[in-house]
Amino acid sequence: GRPRDLAGRRVVVSAGGTREAIDPVRYIGNRSSGLQGYALARTAAARGAEVTLVAANVNLPDPAGAKVVRVESTAELREAVLAACGDADVVVMAAAVADFRPETRHDAKIKKTDGEPEAIRLAKNPDILAELGERRRSARADRGVESPGVRPEVIVGFAAETHDVIANGQAKLARKGCDLLVVNQVGEGLAFGTPDNAATVLVAGGEAVEVPFGPKEDLAAAVWDLVAARLS
Ligand code: C5P
């Protein structure tokens, strides 16, 4: 791979972490910085891709050459990703998506009371990555076995696994219907908010590629190498 091997390709990258409103001032969120997703967007643009970056609550300058769509909640992220994926060749879901949201969003700020606080009931969020995989699977089924042109051609997911990385990762890859799954090694000082990362990239029906601890750009380059090799 390398220089301009993604020229003419449309890629969608999600980055950051979604927030789910409890009331007008409070939310449930996560610690994703968006650094890995931004590195992916920057690297793809440098290699010639037309990049749409769907950024959820990221506090970083726009990467050069990418169209940035800012979102807050999982519902907004889903809308933006699905809209951008209509004519995309590749989607990389690097965002940390909230699995749950408060069942109801209070219109007014919840008041402190003397008694016990009210419990927050949670509802399940849609799994966007699984939805992308399922949409593609059914589009391919509709069009018959040989179905070039069903998009996105390459779907990439991220996962944080702490144990049985390969076995859990392969199961997740199959369950979500993606082509590549980047499994972050989570643990002391790794991943969140740091400029470095280490990961194993699982390839559907294939090998596992180890990317040693290093700058998030290095992991991004390794992901795009594997993506480029799978694009027709
Ligand atoms: O199931 P898990 O959360 O480990 O999967 C992580 C992957 O799935 C990431 O690529 C993330 O962006 C995506 N995801 C999603 N929608 C969710 C949860 C996760 O697209 N509701």
Side-chain angles (χ1 to χ4, degrees), residues 58-72:
V58 180
N59 212 341
L60 295 168
D62 288 0
K67 177 189 169 200
V68 182
V69 180
R70 295 188 178 275
V71 299
E72 182 170 331

Side-chain angles (χ1 to χ4, degrees), residues 35-36 191-197 214-217:
L35 284 167
Q36 184 62 67
F192 286 135
T194 69
D196 299 303
N197 212 348
K216 286 180 175 174
E217 268 76 16

Side-chain angles (χ1 to χ4, degrees), residues 14 93-99 125-129 156-159 172 176:
S14 70
M93 285 292 295
V97 183
D99 292 314
N125 268 336
D127 187 322
I128 303 160
L129 182 62
V156 184
F158 270 69
K172 187 169 285 186
K176 301 230 187 193

Side-chain angles (χ1 to χ4, degrees), residues 14 16 18 74 77 81 92-100 124-132 156-161 172 175-176 178 180-182:
S14 70
T18 58
T74 299
L77 181 79
V81 166
V92 181
M93 285 292 295
V97 183
D99 292 314
F100 307 105
K124 222 173 175 177
N125 268 336
D127 187 322
I128 303 160
L129 182 62
E131 187 173 345
L132 289 166
V156 184
F158 270 69
E161 301 284 346
K172 187 169 285 186
R175 189 166 69 243
K176 301 230 187 193
C178 48
L180 300 174
L181 188 74
V182 183

Side-chain angles (χ1 to χ4, degrees), residues 6 11 89-90 92 154 156 180 222-232:
L6 297 172
V11 312
D89 299 296
V90 185
V92 181
V154 182
V156 184
L180 300 174
V223 169
W224 292 121
D225 287 348
L226 290 164
V227 167
R230 290 179 81 89
L231 284 167
S232 51

Side-chain angles (χ1 to χ4, degrees), residues 32-64:
S32 177
S33 65
L35 284 167
Q36 184 62 67
Y38 273 51
L40 283 155
R42 206 163 42 242
T43 309
R47 285 162 70 159
E50 193 181 300
V51 181
T52 300
L53 174 61
V54 182
N57 311 295
V58 180
N59 212 341
L60 295 168
D62 288 0

Side-chain angles (χ1 to χ4, degrees), residues 145-166:
V145 252
E146 290 303 320
S147 48
V150 173
R151 287 160 179 250
E153 201 178 332
V154 182
I155 299 177
V156 184
F158 270 69
E161 301 284 346
T162 52
H163 64 286
D164 295 333
V165 168
I166 305 293

